[in-house]
Amino acid sequence: MGKPLIYEILEKPASSSVIGICSLIWFFIQKRNIGYGDVGLSYEAAMEGGQYWRIITSAFSHISVVHLVFNMSALWSLGVVEQLGQIGLGVEYYLHYTLVLVVLSGLLVLGFYHVMIQKFKVEYFRRVTAVGYSCVVFGWMTILATKQPSSKLNIFGVLSLPISFAPFESLIFTSIMVPQASFIGHLSGIIVGYSIAWGLVHGMNNYWAITMFGWIVLVFVLSLKRTGSMDLRFIEIEPVTDPSLPSVGVVASRNGRTLQMDVLPRRGVADIV
């Protein structure tokens, strides 16, 4: 007989917290009838519209309950990382590099989109919208496969995969269960995961984690303010243009949204990550 759930939650505090946050966000999305275009990450919205906050909101948002359950089930199993302090992992390591995975995998997705749009002229990737925590999940699968190859990944409590092959097996399984699963998103998580596991991305400690978190919050809030996605009256952003030069003005709409927010489509092609 396994341990009571409360003991497992206490042994995996970071994983349990992320699962709780993602579940609450999913519930909020369902109650408010929020769609992919409202919280997802797309090249057009982020790079051309300046909505950098979407790198964060897209990672923690899920529209489909199947997508949410798959990601959270895998994440619960990967919480074993928090219990492996004896091999250099543990709770602090988990928190530090979850932060890295969220940001770098999102940036790498945008990088792939940029190459596909600018180099190969595939306009599909300009508006495709990605949501989900799979980038981080696949990143942790990769790290655990490298650090502890003898581990198993349990999904839904019935499917057990050798962790050494889990990233690629899970990619196939996800593609079957969720047809809109993003290959680029999952690949980005795997690449960042290997970069961390092989020491290409390293040196995270409490100081750098807090510093990075502070910058994330700052960019998140300022991009929300700049794009008019949220009314933050207490924040003022100074203009960088020369007031002596002629400029073309745009009359703001009554809802206070900026031009960038108004011209971007709210619905696009959905890509689940």
Side-chain angles (χ1 to χ4, degrees):
M1 191 173 188
K3 295 180 183 178
L5 180 60
I6 185 64
Y7 289 112
E8 292 200 46
I9 291 174
L10 292 175
E11 290 178 347
K12 305 173 181 179
S15 304
S16 301
S17 297
V18 173
I19 290 170
I21 291 169
C22 288
S23 300
L24 287 173
I25 291 173
W26 173 84
F27 181 76
F28 179 81
I29 285 172
Q30 300 305 310
K31 292 291 286 185
R32 294 297 183 92
N33 196 30
I34 295 172
Y36 293 99
D38 299 305
V39 293
L41 178 66
S42 70
Y43 184 88
E44 185 175 48
M47 300 306 295
E48 296 174 356
Q51 298 176 16
Y52 307 119
W53 51 267
R54 289 177 177 270
I55 293 174
I56 306 301
T57 59
S58 64
F60 293 94
S61 300
H62 298 79
I63 309 299
S64 163
V65 66
V66 174
H67 187 207
L68 174 72
V69 171
F70 174 81
N71 277 351
M72 297 305 102
S73 177
L75 185 64
W76 177 258
S77 181
L78 291 165
V80 68
V81 170
E82 299 181 60
Q83 304 168 2
L84 296 175
Q86 70 275 12
I87 62 170
L89 303 181
V91 177
E92 281 192 6
Y93 183 94
Y94 185 91
L95 289 171
H96 294 167
Y97 286 99
T98 290
L99 201 60
V100 173
L101 282 164
V102 168
V103 175
L104 291 191
S105 61
L107 292 175
L108 191 56
V109 167
L110 291 174
F112 276 123
Y113 288 169
H114 181 80
V115 171
M116 296 303 295
I117 294 166
Q118 302 298 331
K119 181 70 174 178
F120 298 102
K121 310 300 180 184
V122 183
E123 287 298 311
Y124 165 83
F125 290 100
R126 187 178 299 277
R127 294 188 179 183
V128 65
T129 302
V131 294
Y133 203 69
S134 299
C135 287
V136 181
V137 169
F138 274 75
W140 278 118
M141 283 184 196
T142 305
I143 293 169
L144 191 59
T146 306
K147 301 282 189 179
Q148 190 81 350
S150 60
S151 299
K152 296 279 188 179
L153 177 68
N154 295 306
I155 301 176
F156 302 125
V158 295
L159 182 63
S160 181
L161 303 175
I163 194 65
S164 55
F165 300 107
F168 307 101
E169 291 173 336
S170 297
L171 180 59
I172 297 171
F173 181 76
T174 307
S175 299
I176 295 171
M177 293 293 294
V178 187
Q180 291 176 302
S182 170
F183 176 82
I184 288 179
H186 296 164
L187 179 62
S188 297
I190 292 172
I191 291 173
V192 178
Y194 275 125
S195 298
I196 293 170
W198 291 342
L200 301 177
V201 176
H202 65 282
M204 285 293 288
N205 53 36
N206 288 336
Y207 171 79
W208 288 114
I210 293 171
T211 301
M212 184 177 181
F213 181 76
W215 277 107
I216 290 170
V217 172
L218 181 63
V219 172
F220 184 90
V221 172
L222 291 181
S223 65
L224 275 175
K225 173 69 176 178
R226 177 176 172 271
T227 59
S229 304
M230 183 177 292
D231 188 11
L232 303 173
R233 299 179 186 275
F234 58 92
I235 298 177
E236 294 293 337
I237 301 177
E238 294 294 332
V240 296
T241 56
D242 188 343
S244 65
L245 297 176
S247 61
V248 178
V250 179
V251 178
S253 62
R254 291 184 180 180
N255 62 7
R257 295 180 185 271
T258 63
L259 177 63
Q260 292 95 324
M261 188 65 181
D262 287 337
V263 301
L264 287 174
R266 296 181 64 82
R267 293 286 186 269
V269 182
D271 211 4
I272 298 175
V273 297

